[in-house]
Amino acid sequence: MRGGTQAPLASSARSAVSTVGRRLLDLLPSRADWTAVRRSPRRDLVAGLTVAVVALPLALAFGVTSGLGAEAGLITAVVAGAIAAIFGGSNLQVSGPTGAMTVVLVPVVAQFGATGVLMVGAMAGLILVALAFARTGRYVRYLPMPVIEGFTAGIAVVIALQQVPAALGVTDAQGERVWAVAVDAVARFVVHPQPAPVLVALGVAAVMLLGARWRPGVPFSLLAVAAVTVLAQLAPVDLVRIGALPQSLPAPSLDFVDLGAVGVLLPAALAVAALAALESLLSATVADGMTVGQRHDPDRELFGQGLANLASPLFGGIPATAAIARTAVNVRAGAVSKLAALTHALALAGVVLVAAPLVGRIPLAALAGVLLATTVRMVEAASLWALARATRGDALVLVLTFAVTVIWDLVLAVAVGVGVAIVVALRAVARSARLEQVPLDSGEHTAEEQALLAEHIVAYRLDGPLFFAAAHDFLLRLSDVADVRVVILRMSRVSAIDATGAQVLGDAIRRLQGRGITVLLSGIVPGHDEVLDAVGVADQLRRDGLVFPDTPAAIAYARTLVPGTPKRDPAVA
């Protein structure tokens, strides 16, 4: 008996291991990835160097904004950027620190410190790997567009608010929320105004925005930051700098691991994982739309991002995700394979090894200007306006998602936005379920007979789903019919029915019967009768011969129930 029990268990274990192994092979880089690398290596190398020029100030700025410092941003761009490039599911994605991620990390830093952020990043990496194995990548396509646009606009506002203290030269602003910190910074600036940081931040932002319109291919962000850094060295102005940076990547370490903190940090890790998945898959979709013939694998992309977020904390980096702005630059620069994103990471590693002393002299106000310009580019005003005008439901979802993002929390914003979108969609579907009176066929009847039928027999056709959102409206309308002897309910166009809808249908039938009105059902779709039987709606009607396969049969029987018309056997009808 023992051997007989162990054999099936051993077989099941081997089968599970085999399944996991096959799934892992599906998620690892394939021969097609390396074939693409050999296709046009020179174009990829040029594209990677171009992206690195754009990514350098962004990596520094996001590192500073996260609270872990500029070096953490650089490390993330190098380590996470390289691993996501190799293992990700898109040939065009460029990963690293992003503004949306820093929004989530700031409160984590305030509450748990730097080690808490590293722990959160590693936990998020594990969650992303699990999501990849569970094949959840495909579901991002079901996110409503108003949620995505409201989320993106809200993130842009939050990032802009994060830059207010640095742009004003205030280093000690306080507050529980980003907007509260910005308000406190403005109040402190009014008391002790410092014009130099303001001029630097606005100048860098203006150069980036105006330069992008004049020469889109020129890296004005790097040029503006370099120019401001030189001027700050030559002019006697008091500007806060980045400070000393390490001239090499730190050795990997697991000192941050604290298993006792897993429960406390789990909500933040789930938020980081959700944000990384959302932003990466949206970025990959945008990249596909900018090219011909490129299609990403969403599950492999989640797997690559998971590995990247597992590796980044080992070197002191913050959680990472794919970046739409850098990915777009990569595509426009002519990238065709993963080699471009890998080159970008290696080029930034070279900056760490060679130019760290120079990078440390960059004023923080200049990086604030870079991010202020970035937030302006993030917001598509035309898209927001189009959604706001589309329907009231779309406008409501857009505004709510935006407001919750700015005032409270990113993940809560997505949850609220999706929840409201579902309610709006259900309401729209429910309103599409119609109870429509249809005329009876008068081809074989005299005018007198047709008048009698029109007065005493009413047929209703139910269109669309009959579920909880539509059921109560259906009950009210159907129960109000008057001056009829027979009601025929045509069920052939009911696309879906749930228990609530079936129960309400039964209540309406009983109310009509209580008023002496006979109710006939016709054309019940296979599968729907099971729901109707489960709640006891159709049983009695079937026993009384009041359920018919089609409407003509129901009409023929209805005529036998109206006084003054010839009686016919229901079985014959």
Side-chain angles (χ1 to χ4, degrees):
M1 290 294 292
R2 180 176 299 177
T5 302
Q6 290 178 346
L9 290 176
S11 176
S12 299
R14 286 194 298 269
S15 177
V17 171
S18 176
T19 301
V20 172
R22 289 195 300 270
R23 183 63 183 142
L24 180 60
L25 289 176
D26 291 339
L27 295 173
L28 291 174
S30 64
R31 181 177 300 177
D33 297 324
W34 309 120
T35 301
V37 167
R38 294 194 297 268
R39 191 179 307 154
S40 186
R42 181 176 298 178
R43 290 178 61 185
D44 286 327
L45 290 173
V46 172
L49 293 174
T50 303
V51 176
V53 171
V54 175
L56 175 59
L58 290 175
L60 296 171
F62 289 137
V64 172
T65 303
S66 72
L68 267 67
E71 65 273 16
L74 269 178
I75 290 170
T76 305
V78 173
V79 176
I83 292 179
I86 295 172
F87 293 97
S90 170
N91 287 331
L92 307 173
Q93 289 269 52
V94 180
S95 299
T98 64
M101 194 63 74
T102 62
V103 174
V104 179
L105 297 179
V106 168
V108 176
V109 174
Q111 187 173 359
F112 302 104
T115 56
V117 172
L118 302 182
M119 188 69 180
V120 164
M123 292 170 62
L126 290 174
I127 294 170
L128 288 169
V129 170
L131 292 176
F133 272 89
R135 304 177 188 268
T136 59
R138 71 197 75 177
Y139 296 112
V140 74
R141 72 187 67 173
Y142 299 114
L143 279 176
M145 187 56 64
V147 174
I148 296 173
E149 292 292 341
F151 178 75
T152 303
I155 288 176
V157 171
V158 172
I159 295 172
L161 291 173
Q162 287 177 337
Q163 308 318 307
V164 171
L168 299 179
V170 177
T171 59
D172 55 352
Q174 298 178 353
E176 293 185 1
R177 300 286 181 183
V178 174
W179 53 267
V181 175
V183 170
D184 186 57
V186 172
R188 293 173 185 270
F189 176 80
V190 171
V191 177
H192 299 289
Q194 301 181 61
V198 178
L199 294 175
V200 167
L202 294 180
V204 170
V207 169
M208 288 180 60
L209 294 174
L210 296 176
R213 291 190 175 187
W214 178 49
R215 289 282 194 275
V218 177
F220 282 100
S221 60
L222 186 62
L223 295 178
V225 169
V228 166
T229 303
V230 172
L231 289 174
Q233 287 294 114
L234 299 177
V237 293
D238 184 18
L239 293 171
V240 180
R241 312 302 178 92
I242 288 178
L245 293 176
Q247 293 184 261
S248 64
L249 290 177
S253 172
L254 290 172
D255 292 342
F256 64 88
V257 174
D258 181 6
L259 297 181
V262 169
V264 179
L265 295 175
L266 184 59
L270 290 172
V272 168
L275 186 57
L278 176 64
E279 194 166 7
S280 297
L281 295 178
L282 288 178
S283 176
T285 302
V286 170
D288 290 347
M290 296 176 64
T291 60
V292 177
Q294 292 280 3
R295 289 295 178 268
H296 74 282
D297 184 325
D299 294 325
R300 281 188 59 194
E301 184 59 29
L302 291 181
F303 184 70
Q305 294 298 331
L307 294 182
N309 279 284
L310 278 171
S312 182
L314 298 179
F315 297 88
I318 61 178
T321 178
I324 294 178
R326 277 162 276 180
T327 299
V329 171
N330 195 38
V331 174
R332 294 192 188 105
V336 295
S337 78
K338 296 172 176 291
L339 180 60
L342 183 59
T343 301
H344 138 270
L346 296 177
L348 292 179
V351 171
V352 173
L353 297 175
V354 177
L358 296 177
V359 172
R361 298 176 184 177
I362 296 175
L364 293 180
L367 298 182
V370 170
L371 294 187
L372 287 174
T374 302
T375 60
V376 174
R377 293 175 178 176
M378 288 176 63
V379 178
E380 294 287 344
S383 178
L384 293 175
W385 180 240
L387 285 173
R389 293 187 303 168
T391 66
R392 291 182 179 179
D394 289 332
L396 176 63
V397 172
L398 178 71
V399 171
L400 278 179
T401 305
F402 171 82
V404 176
T405 300
V406 174
I407 298 173
W408 283 289
D409 178 73
L410 294 180
V411 177
L412 178 62
V414 173
V416 170
V418 172
V420 174
I422 291 173
V423 172
V424 170
L426 290 177
R427 181 172 179 268
V429 173
R431 294 176 67 181
S432 70
R434 299 187 301 273
L435 185 65
E436 180 179 347
Q437 183 173 347
V438 293
L440 301 178
D441 183 13
S442 59
E444 299 179 358
H445 305 287
T446 64
E448 293 81 8
E449 184 179 11
Q450 178 61 30
L452 180 64
L453 292 174
E455 181 178 357
H456 297 293
I457 301 175
V458 178
Y460 285 98
R461 185 179 65 214
L462 280 65
D463 286 353
L466 184 64
F467 61 108
F468 68 91
H472 294 287
D473 179 63
F474 164 81
L475 173 62
L476 292 175
R477 295 181 59 188
L478 185 57
S479 299
D480 286 340
V481 297
D483 298 325
V484 296
R485 303 287 178 85
V486 181
V487 170
I488 302 172
L489 299 180
R490 300 175 58 180
M491 306 286 290
S492 60
R493 295 195 184 184
V494 175
S495 57
I497 187 169
D498 67 358
T500 304
Q503 187 64 53
V504 172
L505 175 63
D507 291 341
I509 291 173
R510 284 188 287 272
R511 291 192 185 191
L512 292 173
Q513 290 174 334
R515 293 166 48 196
I517 299 174
T518 302
V519 179
L520 311 181
L521 299 182
S522 70
I524 299 177
V525 177
H528 294 175
D529 51 356
E530 298 176 1
V531 181
L532 295 174
D533 290 339
V535 295
V537 173
D539 292 346
Q540 184 62 45
L541 294 179
R542 281 198 180 92
R543 285 195 293 269
D544 294 340
L546 303 178
V547 177
F548 300 88
D550 52 49
T551 302
I555 293 174
Y557 180 69
R559 294 185 183 121
T560 68
L561 303 178
V562 177
T565 60
K567 302 291 184 181
R568 283 189 276 180
D569 188 346
V572 177

